[in-house]
Amino acid sequence: MTQVLPAIIPINKAQLTEEIEKVSHFAELVQVDISDGVFTNTRTWPYNGQDRDYFEKLKIEEEGWPKWEDTDIELHLMVSKPEEVLEDWISTGVASIVAHIEATDDFQKIIDICREKNVSVGLAMKPNTDIEKIEKFVPQVDFIQVMGSQLLGKHGVELDEKSLEVIKSLRMKFSDSIIAIDIGVTEENAQDIISAGVNKIISGGAILNSDNPKEVFKYFESL
């Protein structure tokens, strides 16, 4: 069975809450995308200035993530120098961190912090990134997350076919690794993505914008 995570791009606390509530009755783990406007062209909460107080309360456990009793958070940090903000985000109570190899000169530090804090860690890479850049880290991380496009931070972006070639190469080189894809997954191309070697799907628009999110989630899971 394929692991499936709905992906949420939060603009503010209200939207974050609404979308987590939409999927929490069938998804035990949700990936929340955080963009700082530096590593990506877009800014999400809290880097867009909205509901910054909520983030501060999360850090000191004065408040919790929406539906925290039912659903865990995997945090996709699309930020420059993630090692500088990593501990703040871990303190909010996330189960897993995903950071980009392209966003830091010290990915080892990210791994070390996550291991010290008993948080799972994923390595995200854009399709144009050389696989050699990640090779020494793969044995140390819990999964590799291949982005389906160079364009990050938006729902509804089409899958770049180059991502499938990257996934095939990774599967040949790292046969036992968990390989995820994020961006561009649809009901029409999901089987091709699985055939390329993916065993974890992260999907935003295809699930959240569906008339029946649970049905799409279960379809991806069945592949």
Side-chain angles (χ1 to χ4, degrees):
M1 183 179 288
T2 303
Q3 185 182 16
V4 181
L5 276 67
I8 293 171
I9 303 174
I11 300 304
N12 51 38
K13 182 185 178 184
Q15 181 215 342
L16 175 69
T17 301
E18 178 186 348
E19 295 192 350
I20 288 181
E21 287 179 348
K22 184 184 287 188
V23 300
S24 62
H25 63 285
F26 57 81
E28 295 180 358
L29 187 64
V30 171
Q31 189 169 106
V32 175
D33 294 344
I34 300 296
S35 297
D36 64 353
V38 180
F39 181 66
T40 61
N41 291 327
T42 57
R43 284 186 179 168
T44 65
W45 163 83
Y47 296 104
N48 60 9
Q50 296 200 48
D51 295 321
R52 182 81 194 187
D53 58 329
Y54 174 52
F55 177 56
E56 298 301 324
K57 289 177 180 178
L58 278 174
K59 286 194 297 183
I60 59 174
E61 299 182 351
E62 190 175 313
E63 287 197 47
W65 289 90
K67 305 295 287 186
W68 62 269
E69 307 96 330
D70 306 310
T71 304
D72 286 329
I73 301 297
E74 180 166 281
L75 198 74
H76 181 193
L77 277 179
M78 293 184 284
V79 304
S80 180
K81 299 180 181 177
E83 65 275 13
E84 295 182 358
V85 297
L86 192 55
E87 293 194 53
D88 279 349
W89 281 105
I90 290 174
S91 70
T92 69
V94 298
S96 180
I97 292 283
V98 187
H100 277 263
I101 191 72
E102 306 91 354
T104 178
D105 293 325
D106 194 358
F107 201 87
Q108 187 63 54
K109 184 175 182 180
I110 293 168
I111 294 172
D112 292 345
I113 292 171
C114 288
R115 292 296 174 229
E116 180 186 342
K117 301 293 185 179
N118 294 314
V119 171
S120 296
V121 57
L123 184 157
M125 61 179 290
K126 298 179 183 179
N128 289 353
T129 298
D130 193 329
I131 289 175
E132 289 185 2
K133 194 172 181 181
I134 76 165
E135 285 184 341
K136 68 178 181 179
F137 301 117
V138 172
Q140 302 181 66
V141 299
D142 295 290
F143 61 95
I144 310 161
Q145 181 164 311
V146 178
M147 306 309 293
S149 170
Q150 289 289 115
L151 181 61
L152 308 182
K154 296 181 179 180
H155 286 320
V157 176
E158 286 191 14
L159 178 70
D160 183 342
E161 292 296 321
K162 184 172 183 180
S163 299
L164 298 185
E165 299 307 312
V166 172
I167 289 162
K168 289 175 184 176
S169 298
L170 288 171
R171 180 54 67 205
M172 288 182 65
K173 191 178 286 280
F174 307 110
S175 59
D176 296 330
S177 293
I178 295 173
I179 301 175
I181 188 164
D182 177 22
I183 298 178
V185 182
T186 66
E187 291 177 88
E188 290 71 31
N189 66 19
Q191 186 58 66
D192 291 339
I193 289 169
I194 295 295
S195 298
V198 160
N199 45 15
K200 179 176 179 177
I201 285 176
I202 296 105
S203 173
I207 293 174
L208 291 170
N209 298 332
S210 167
D211 291 336
N212 191 330
K214 183 178 180 180
E215 187 176 277
V216 177
F217 179 92
K218 292 296 183 184
Y219 169 69
F220 289 155
E221 202 173 46
S222 72
L223 297 174

